[in-house]
Amino acid sequence: MEPVNLDESFASFDETWAPRIAAELNDYAVKVAKLDGEFVWHAHDETDELFLVCDGRLRIEFRDRDDADLGPGDLLVVPRGVEHRPVALEPTEVLLVEPTETLNTGDAAESDLTHDPERLS
């Protein structure tokens, strides 16, 4: 049991759209990620996904409902199976909570944006 400092976690890497595991609980990972620009449209058929904006501005776009605009301190849970696309309106830092093995690109075709998250030390 060691405390995790989120500022230090975000400062430990520069790569965008490549989540890092900061902590784990049960079968879930608390991931930190830096985002910039548009991601891919995708869904997670087996799990909900929690986004918490720590810094910056994030829009979560949906094909079948109104988009959600998030700023620092805002969180949103995207229900399982809902197709969405995160768009960072500026460089943005987010905390994600989802099952440990969840791929960031969900059901989208693998691409250079697909990352198996590394654990922060």
Side-chain angles (χ1 to χ4, degrees):
M1 272 188 329
E2 293 293 324
V4 174
N5 182 286
L6 290 177
D7 289 335
E8 290 174 8
S9 295
F10 285 116
S12 71
F13 65 97
D14 292 318
E15 190 175 11
T16 59
W17 302 110
R20 306 301 202 270
I21 298 173
E24 291 183 85
L25 63 154
N26 300 317
D27 295 331
Y28 281 77
V30 177
K31 301 174 184 178
V32 292
K34 292 182 177 184
L35 315 179
D36 195 10
E38 295 179 350
F39 198 54
V40 296
W41 283 100
H42 67 284
H44 301 281
D45 292 332
E46 302 299 322
T47 186
D48 300 341
E49 183 176 27
L50 183 145
F51 290 84
L52 170 64
V53 175
C54 297
D55 187 48
R57 301 226 34 97
L58 181 65
R59 173 175 294 133
I60 307 288
E61 297 179 344
F62 300 100
R63 292 202 195 268
D64 62 352
R65 59 191 79 192
D66 291 339
D67 298 341
D69 288 319
L70 308 173
D74 292 334
L75 73 81
L76 177 74
V77 175
V78 176
R80 72 185 76 217
V82 173
E83 192 174 22
H84 61 286
R85 178 174 71 164
V87 178
L89 303 173
E90 59 189 53
T92 300
E93 295 176 342
V94 300
L95 183 141
L96 305 162
V97 179
E98 57 196 5
T100 303
E101 301 304 319
T102 302
L103 277 181
N104 62 334
T105 51
D107 65 354
E110 278 200 39
S111 71
D112 58 343
L113 293 174
T114 304
H115 288 277
D116 190 15
E118 300 174 21
R119 296 186 194 301
L120 295 175
S121 49

